[in-house]
Amino acid sequence: MEIMHKLASHLKTRLVELNRAKQQGRKIVGYTPGGYLPEELILASGAIPICLIRGGDHSVVELTGAYLCRWIDTFCRAQIGYAVSGDDPYYSIVDLLAIPITDNHIRAISDITDHSTDIEVFPFGVPHMKEESTFSYYLHGITRLKAKLEALTGTEITKPKLREAISLCNRERELFREISLMRKSGPVPISSRDFVALNHASFLADKEVMVEILESLYKELKGRIALPDGHPRILLTGSTLAMGDSRVLDLIDEAGGEVVIEEFAEGIRPYWENVNPDGDLMKALAECYFMQRVPPAWFRPGNERRDFLIKLAKDFNVDGVIWYQLMYRESYKTESYYFPDKLKRDTGLRMLTVESDYDPSEMGPLRTRIETFIETIRGKRHG
Amino acid sequence: MANYYDELLKICGFEDGEIKKEKLRIDKTFERLELGPEDMKTAEEWVRQNHDVELAGVRKLLRAWLKELLDMVLAKDEGKKIIYYGFPTIQGPGMAIKAAAPEELYVACPDVVLCHTLGQIFNKLTPVLEAGEENGLPPGHGLCTLQTIRVGGLAKGIIPVPDLVTGSSYYCDMGSKTDELLHEKYGHRAVYVDGSMDSRWGEYPEYLPQRVEFLGGQLNKLFEAVREVVGVEVTSAAWDKAMSISRHLFHSIGQLTQLAMADPMPISSVEVGLALQLSAGSTGKAITEGPEAIDILCQEVKQRIDRGIGVVEKGAPRVIDFAASFSDPSITHMMENAGLAVAATLLSAPPPKSIQPTTYTTPGEIRAEREMQSGIYHSSFGFAQRFVDAVKDLGLDGVIWGYQYNCRPMAEASHLIKEWVAESAGVPVLSLEMDIYDSRSYSAAALRTRVEAFAETLRVRKAVAKV
């Protein structure tokens, strides 16, 4: 697709653009993924948001041995590795690192970056339940972030500026949603690898360029007639799908499976809901980013997400679920024990759980397990 | 006729009449725990080896733990409504719930009870851990072993299914997820007391008032759930009553930890841990039998001090550890045998005094404010600072930072805490990856070499300082 080339070319020069913008006085605000940071606030302050979403590289994880023990999630250790390396282009460019604290793994990024690097860190809490008091706490957190961004940039985040940013981000979410929904049934017009690549790109790209690209792609896909392929349809879910961590997607692809829908706490932008552009905009942001967002496994209880996965499995007519978690993320590990029963009960589907520490030596066992799973689904279909 | 458990129970402070009176309950409990005559022989040896049973106070503490075990295992049979809380926990709510209806409720942290009984007395925790691993928390993934004990205890039918559980969602993720796993399996209600440790490194003792309001509101919510589920109203009066009756316990514990600071150290940290953790694991026997046992122990320890008796030699380097092993006393003894006086643990070190009179009015908020001030639930930095303060206040020679590897709040700052404490307290810090609940991989033998080298460093340092 031509449009994917355009995107690749934009990303290729993105760092140069960011450096130029920084030299011209614009602030760059980095943030950790998870879907709890309203980019609208950063955009409305005149700063540039970049989500620190890269992972998949074991050598970066190895750098963290001097900073913490191994029992912390692989992706989070990778972020610490990038931060402490001192030469990572993205971590080096940020003027502020905003960290929505979702669990103790993300807290490790905050504490170690704060203590061991010169990067200024701004943590704020994301509670683990949806209640009036937790909503208030989250709202208070993003209100503090708003004040911090205003102080950093010297720009007041006015209502019109915020509404404009909301409108842009809403359009991006809408387009992701529309494109994703094209995969609901029948032939799939866009591969999961491309859809995930778009998602990852949206964390780093200029927002307006990204929306333009998504608009063009949406039009192109609407006119495209995809041919039926008969590949087993897979729901891919888990804790984190980082930019650069493509092994599971590749292996599913090589085994002849087709991922038709992805659900991840980190790495896939939550695109199912939009921010209400009317009324109290800060409350509207908190509503969308905290209350309406399907929460990750570190919410307690995690029923909402598990029900959502069942719904996705049915709506996207999938043949099986692959649960991809990173090592030591205990919330996902614990859920992976009891979710398969619910899945089986409610949909009759089977689930494969795979785990990674970004270690290249995992490839062999991963390949075998994924191939066997896809083969079993095929056998079931034909049997 | 003699029972196969008489000898062990006598070592643990039971009297003949009491054993006779409790026989049916003991038989039923031991049957459920699969404890037979062979296990008693192992336990007798284990207790004699690892506990200072020549002290009546220690025997009474072991007795209190065993009686707590009986109460826990039989709680359902005896018609009690059951509420479990998690560890670590904010002190107070559990006691207040129990105080509201002491005869109707059983309120405890069951995994802590199993550690101090099946672990410390019977040395037979492994089957429970294995059952936990087979029922949802497999090994090799760094999952909390305290939670594994809870899962295993329920799977084996040792721990009765509760009516309500409440987890420390303000501190860790694992407890809450385990509560969810168990809810899926057994259907009981779980109340999550949430919070957010979102302070920056270095921010303690400052904190946002919103954190107090949030956590305080969550603690108050717990009482509402108790009313709904078990029909017990936790009033301010119940709260006051709990505080009043637990004051004696905490006063006694405070006195014991003070006495343990004498030189030579008159009592092992193992026994101080037995006393201290009664308040973390139990709201029943901790209150009814704990204070008396600790008071007796204090008297005995005073006599030892007067006579110059110590469990390590006079002048031994004095260290603070994070916590004595909950389940395996041989680990702390290994440290003491290496010549270290484990004079305090982070859990026994006196918390900082309240800065000013509180302006909060609800029990939850008052408690939450206190926890923010005390550091451990504030942030990893607050946690680290507690070590620093303890070293300075108690004049200690070193720190054993025995972090619980599968506890994420500790693992996330495993290296930062070592670095910060060493820098700020100015004493050597030994970082030891440990498991205070399950010593299958982190046994005394596995840790000995590093501890011995550390002890030698501290001895040399002390000697040089004298010159």
Side-chain angles (χ1 to χ4, degrees):
Chain A
M1 280 181 285
E2 184 54 34
I3 205 72
M4 295 305 281
H5 293 302
K6 191 178 167 188
L7 181 61
S9 139
H10 172 66
L11 290 180
K12 211 171 169 182
T13 56
R14 185 62 177 151
L15 262 172
V16 177
E17 272 178 29
L18 289 172
N19 273 306
R20 195 177 300 134
K22 194 176 165 85
Q23 275 164 14
Q24 288 164 357
R26 281 187 77 183
K27 301 292 181 190
I28 316 277
V29 177
Y31 67 93
T32 50
Y36 286 101
L37 191 128
E39 283 179 311
E40 287 90 336
L41 288 173
I42 304 173
L43 290 166
S45 75
I48 300 171
I50 56 167
C51 177
L52 300 158
I53 185 59
R54 285 168 315 133
D57 180 354
H58 195 252
S59 65
V60 181
V61 177
E62 283 173 348
L63 289 178
T64 62
Y67 296 85
L68 82 170
C69 61
R70 65 185 287 211
W71 308 101
I72 293 293
D73 167 75
T74 314
F75 171 77
C76 295
R77 276 183 290 144
Q79 299 317 300
I80 292 164
Y82 290 124
V84 299
S85 71
D87 56 10
D88 177 74
Y90 288 100
Y91 274 90
S92 302
I93 205 172
V94 298
D95 296 291
L96 179 73
L97 177 57
I99 306 184
I101 305 287
T102 48
D103 68 357
N104 284 302
H105 301 268
I106 293 287
R107 194 155 69 87
I109 304 176
S110 176
D111 279 343
I112 294 170
T113 308
D114 206 350
H115 172 268
S116 307
T117 75
D118 294 332
I119 300 168
E120 187 181 359
V121 168
F122 183 86
F124 65 94
V126 180
H128 307 98
M129 292 181 295
K130 293 183 180 180
E131 296 173 356
E132 207 181 314
S133 66
T134 57
F135 173 78
S136 301
Y137 193 77
Y138 177 76
L139 175 60
H140 176 256
I142 61 170
T143 304
R144 283 195 298 123
L145 174 65
K146 176 174 175 270
K148 178 72 193 171
L149 290 167
E150 287 175 333
L152 178 77
T153 59
T155 303
E156 189 193 347
I157 299 176
T158 61
K159 222 171 168 183
K161 281 182 196 160
L162 191 51
R163 188 169 288 122
E164 193 185 328
I166 287 171
S167 166
L168 185 64
C169 293
N170 275 349
R171 185 62 190 141
E172 184 184 47
R173 283 186 281 263
E174 269 163 24
L175 287 161
F176 270 118
R177 190 161 61 239
E178 291 303 324
I179 293 169
S180 185
L181 287 170
M182 286 177 176
R183 307 177 294 174
K184 260 182 114 168
S185 58
V188 177
I190 181 169
S191 72
S192 179
R193 279 206 284 194
D194 281 347
F195 187 76
V196 169
L198 283 169
N199 246 285
H200 288 160
S202 77
F203 290 125
L204 296 171
D206 176 86
K207 192 64 71 189
E208 287 181 1
V209 173
M210 192 67 217
V211 168
E212 232 173 72
I213 284 171
L214 288 170
E215 297 271 15
S216 308
L217 180 68
Y218 178 57
K219 279 180 200 150
E220 189 184 326
L221 293 177
K222 260 175 80 175
R224 179 185 289 182
I225 300 164
L227 295 173
D229 53 24
H231 295 309
R233 296 168 63 85
I234 303 294
L235 160 58
L236 180 64
T237 184
S239 53
T240 315
L241 192 60
M243 187 179 210
D245 180 18
S246 60
R247 283 184 310 171
V248 168
L249 277 172
D250 293 344
L251 290 172
I252 295 171
D253 197 32
E254 285 167 24
E258 177 89 65
V259 173
V260 295
I261 183 70
E262 314 78 9
E263 197 285 325
F264 278 85
E266 294 156 347
I268 298 292
R269 177 183 293 281
Y271 52 75
W272 297 103
E273 305 292 338
N274 268 1
V275 178
N276 181 359
D278 304 316
D280 183 331
L281 296 181
M282 289 304 289
K283 275 192 177 165
L285 286 172
E287 268 296 330
C288 181
Y289 278 82
F290 182 70
M291 294 301 270
Q292 292 172 359
R293 191 234 146 126
V294 175
W298 38 86
F299 259 58
R300 22 264 197 188
N303 319 38
E304 189 183 343
R305 176 172 157 277
R306 295 195 296 272
D307 291 344
F308 183 64
L309 287 174
I310 300 288
K311 185 177 179 315
L312 286 179
K314 288 178 179 169
D315 288 355
F316 283 76
N317 194 25
V318 308
D319 300 306
V321 174
I322 295 183
W323 179 289
Y324 173 54
Q325 68 203 18
L326 296 180
M327 287 298 281
Y328 311 127
R329 204 72 178 254
E330 73 280 40
S331 302
Y332 277 83
K333 181 66 200 166
T334 310
E335 277 203 4
S336 73
Y337 175 75
Y338 50 89
F339 179 65
D341 283 347
K342 181 179 170 59
L343 180 70
K344 184 95 183 155
R345 212 169 43 238
D346 293 0
T347 65
L349 295 173
R350 294 183 56 209
M351 183 174 112
L352 171 72
T353 304
V354 289
E355 212 160 358
S356 171
D357 201 28
Y358 294 161
D359 187 338
S361 66
E362 295 160 350
M363 271 304 264
L366 268 180
R367 184 190 304 278
T368 308
R369 299 191 64 214
I370 289 173
E371 278 176 356
T372 309
F373 184 67
I374 303 282
E375 209 42 58
T376 311
I377 293 174
R378 268 213 199 88
K380 205 178 159 199
R381 268 177 162 190
H382 297 134
Chain B
M1 203 176 82
N3 302 294
Y4 67 92
Y5 43 71
D6 286 354
E7 184 58 28
L8 175 75
L9 294 189
K10 283 178 196 165
I11 298 170
C12 294
F14 280 73
E15 287 168 8
D16 285 332
E18 193 177 19
I19 297 173
K20 203 171 165 189
K21 193 176 154 208
E22 292 279 324
K23 180 176 167 31
L24 284 177
R25 296 181 82 226
I26 297 167
D27 286 343
K28 206 169 173 182
T29 302
F30 282 13
E31 192 188 329
R32 210 166 284 175
L33 293 167
E34 297 169 359
L35 292 171
E38 281 305 307
D39 296 307
M40 295 306 130
K41 282 183 197 155
T42 310
E44 285 163 27
E45 198 180 327
W46 182 250
V47 168
R48 284 201 174 101
Q49 232 170 49
N50 289 292
H51 290 288
D52 211 339
V53 287
E54 74 173 44
L55 299 171
V58 169
R59 294 199 299 276
K60 281 192 179 292
L61 281 171
L62 291 168
R63 173 172 164 267
W65 276 111
L66 279 173
K67 287 177 85 173
E68 183 68 36
L69 178 70
L70 301 183
D71 290 351
M72 179 181 77
V73 172
L74 302 176
K76 199 119 222 164
D77 305 343
E78 293 173 350
K80 298 272 168 70
K81 294 272 188 190
I82 301 171
I83 299 175
Y84 294 148
Y85 53 85
F87 180 86
T89 190
I90 290 175
Q91 297 280 350
M95 297 249 187
I97 294 167
K98 175 73 175 176
E103 299 306 318
E104 297 162 40
L105 299 179
Y106 177 77
V107 185
C109 181
D111 16 296
V112 169
V113 176
L114 288 182
C115 281
H116 286 83
T117 50
L118 281 187
Q120 293 240 4
I121 296 173
F122 294 99
N123 193 19
K124 204 186 175 187
L125 207 46
T126 300
V128 181
L129 283 156
E130 286 170 351
E133 290 168 349
E134 284 160 16
N135 284 276
L137 302 183
H141 299 271
L143 299 173
C144 174
T145 30
L146 190 64
Q147 298 300 330
T148 308
I149 291 167
R150 181 177 292 204
V151 173
L154 276 155
K156 286 178 77 69
I158 293 172
I159 301 175
V161 174
D163 297 282
L164 178 73
V165 294
T166 174
S168 41
S169 180
Y170 43 84
Y171 185 66
C172 76
D173 303 284
M174 185 76 222
S176 302
K177 287 317 279 189
T178 306
D179 284 345
E180 198 179 314
L181 180 154
L182 294 173
H183 167 78
E184 291 289 318
K185 207 161 181 174
Y186 303 104
H188 55 266
R189 170 103 178 255
V191 178
Y192 306 101
V193 177
D194 203 16
S196 183
M197 291 173 77
D198 58 358
S199 294
R200 283 187 64 179
W201 183 263
E203 221 165 65
Y204 177 79
E206 302 301 319
Y207 56 86
L208 295 167
Q210 285 79 7
R211 282 190 68 185
V212 173
E213 287 152 22
F214 176 26
L215 178 57
Q218 291 284 314
L219 288 168
N220 291 332
K221 178 187 77 175
L222 168 62
F223 300 144
E224 287 163 29
V226 169
R227 189 180 56 224
E228 265 175 50
V229 178
V230 298
V232 169
E233 183 94 29
V234 184
T235 57
S236 302
W239 184 271
D240 292 343
K241 187 177 157 199
M243 292 302 102
S244 152
I245 53 181
S246 58
R247 208 162 286 139
H248 185 182
L249 175 69
F250 290 117
H251 174 77
S252 303
I253 291 172
Q255 203 186 0
L256 180 63
T257 52
Q258 282 269 318
L259 291 169
M261 293 296 300
D263 186 17
M265 191 175 78
I267 184 170
S268 166
S269 179
V270 167
E271 318 307 355
V272 178
L274 273 186
L276 184 70
Q277 299 311 338
L278 258 183
S279 68
S282 153
T283 62
K285 291 293 176 281
I287 297 296
T288 54
E289 307 203 356
E292 190 206 345
I294 301 168
D295 288 347
I296 291 170
L297 187 57
C298 285
Q299 289 305 319
E300 293 173 318
V301 170
K302 270 184 203 156
Q303 286 168 13
R304 280 189 173 181
I305 294 170
D306 293 343
R307 287 153 52 199
I309 297 172
V311 293
V312 290
E313 67 180 31
K314 191 172 169 60
R318 299 194 313 163
V319 298
I320 180 170
D321 186 9
F322 159 63
S325 172
F326 277 36
S327 61
D328 184 352
S330 69
I331 294 174
T332 304
H333 286 310
M334 173 272 291
M335 293 172 182
E336 290 166 352
N337 291 339
L340 293 174
V342 186
T345 63
L346 193 66
L347 304 178
S348 71
K353 296 253 182 303
S354 290
I355 300 158
Q356 58 203 14
T358 184
T359 54
Y360 291 102
T361 52
T362 69
E365 285 172 324
I366 292 167
R367 205 57 253 177
E369 183 186 41
R370 190 75 198 103
E371 296 304 331
M372 286 304 117
Q373 291 167 355
S374 75
I376 291 175
Y377 298 123
H378 176 285
S379 58
S380 295
F381 180 76
F383 195 104
Q385 199 54 40
R386 278 290 295 276
F387 268 119
V388 175
D389 293 343
V391 169
K392 289 180 179 168
D393 293 349
L394 305 174
L396 301 169
D397 302 305
V399 174
I400 295 180
W401 167 220
Y403 66 89
Q404 178 70 20
Y405 81 99
N406 51 29
C407 176
R408 298 307 183 287
M410 288 194 226
E412 73 99 4
S414 55
H415 294 22
L416 290 193
I417 289 177
K418 176 188 190 303
E419 196 182 319
W420 179 259
V421 175
E423 230 174 71
S424 310
V427 296
V429 178
L430 172 67
S431 180
L432 270 191
E433 187 165 288
M434 287 184 72
D435 190 338
I436 60 170
Y437 313 117
D438 171 10
S439 57
R440 286 175 300 172
S441 300
Y442 296 83
S443 64
L447 303 168
R448 178 174 291 118
T449 313
R450 298 192 59 209
V451 171
E452 284 175 348
F454 182 65
E456 192 52 31
T457 306
L458 294 188
R459 274 192 290 270
V460 170
R461 213 166 170 264
K462 272 193 101 171
V464 169
K466 269 187 188 168
V467 176

